[in-house]
Amino acid sequence: MTSFHLFNLDSNTWIAITSIFAVIISIISMIFTVIFSSQQLKHNKNSVKPISAIKFSDYEDVLAVKLENVGTGPLTIKRLVFKNETQESSALISMMPPIDQLWTTFTESVDGWTIPVGGQLIFLKLHPESGEIKSLIRKELSKITVYLEYMDIYNTKFQDKRSLDFFGRHSEE
């Protein structure tokens, strides 16, 4: 009987070829592991990404400015600033003129605060008791721009900015 030898190679050559292929497959699997690990990390970061929404209410019975977290992870405020032509403050209430009624809600400096997913932070809220007060507050709010710097749980920094000029749409100036 004749024995069949593939390519007529001895056993030591086959061991060498098998070892080389094993090393190549190991290298390829390491490359795929690195690629998929980086993709998984990117996915994990996007799965807990906060998204800020600076919102306001301008109705006949309520005026309000607030921040909502509409993302998928907690939003940590690094720095919040309200600016108009002449001043800058970390508290919106400090930029409001004196009025003859109590504010419904207001918040002082909020740097370092965290807003959970779906949560909100009201900077200022008022149920105006007269048209004069409503006009005065709308006029002041319309001059202000909100600047926000915030972070996610991975300390990735984000920025947002929104003008409150919408409050000035009733102004006749």
Side-chain angles (χ1 to χ4, degrees):
M1 253 197 196
T2 56
S3 64
F4 177 71
H5 293 287
L6 189 63
F7 303 114
N8 291 328
L9 301 174
D10 63 7
S11 64
N12 287 338
T13 305
W14 278 113
I15 291 172
I17 290 172
T18 305
S19 299
I20 290 171
F21 276 116
V23 168
I24 290 171
I25 290 172
S26 296
I27 291 171
I28 291 171
S29 64
M30 291 287 287
I31 290 169
F32 279 113
T33 299
V34 169
I35 290 170
F36 290 130
S37 293
S38 69
Q39 291 296 321
Q40 183 66 42
L41 180 61
K42 184 177 178 182
H43 170 75
N44 290 349
K45 284 185 175 186
N46 287 334
S47 294
V48 292
K49 184 177 180 181
I51 300 173
S52 69
I54 300 167
K55 296 184 174 185
F56 43 79
S57 301
D58 185 5
Y59 304 110
E60 290 302 313
D61 63 338
V62 67
L63 301 174
V65 180
K66 61 187 171 184
L67 172 64
E68 289 185 14
N69 180 1
V70 296
T72 56
L75 181 153
T76 301
I77 299 169
K78 185 173 181 199
R79 185 167 185 256
L80 177 72
V81 176
F82 302 94
K83 293 181 183 179
N84 63 19
E85 302 89 23
T86 59
Q87 63 186 40
E88 175 179 313
S89 177
S90 62
L92 184 56
I93 190 71
S94 69
M95 300 177 78
M96 294 295 101
I99 56 174
D100 291 331
Q101 82 170 74
L102 296 176
W103 291 90
T104 307
T105 302
F106 65 89
T107 308
E108 296 285 340
S109 177
V110 295
D111 293 352
W113 288 25
T114 298
I115 303 172
V117 174
Q120 71 176 3
L121 176 59
I122 299 172
F123 301 128
L124 191 72
K125 187 173 186 179
L126 178 69
H127 294 282
E129 295 173 355
S130 72
E132 182 182 313
I133 290 175
K134 182 174 24 181
S135 295
L136 180 63
I137 299 304
R138 279 178 171 163
K139 182 179 177 184
E140 289 305 311
L141 286 172
S142 71
K143 300 174 189 175
I144 296 172
T145 301
V146 183
Y147 296 88
L148 173 67
E149 294 176 20
Y150 63 99
M151 300 182 306
D152 64 8
I153 61 172
Y154 293 103
N155 289 328
T156 306
K157 294 178 180 134
F158 303 93
Q159 293 183 343
D160 196 3
K161 169 183 142 178
R162 182 143 193 212
S163 171
L164 302 181
D165 61 356
F166 182 78
F167 286 100
R169 73 191 187 288
H170 298 289
S171 180
E172 298 169 10
E173 294 176 49

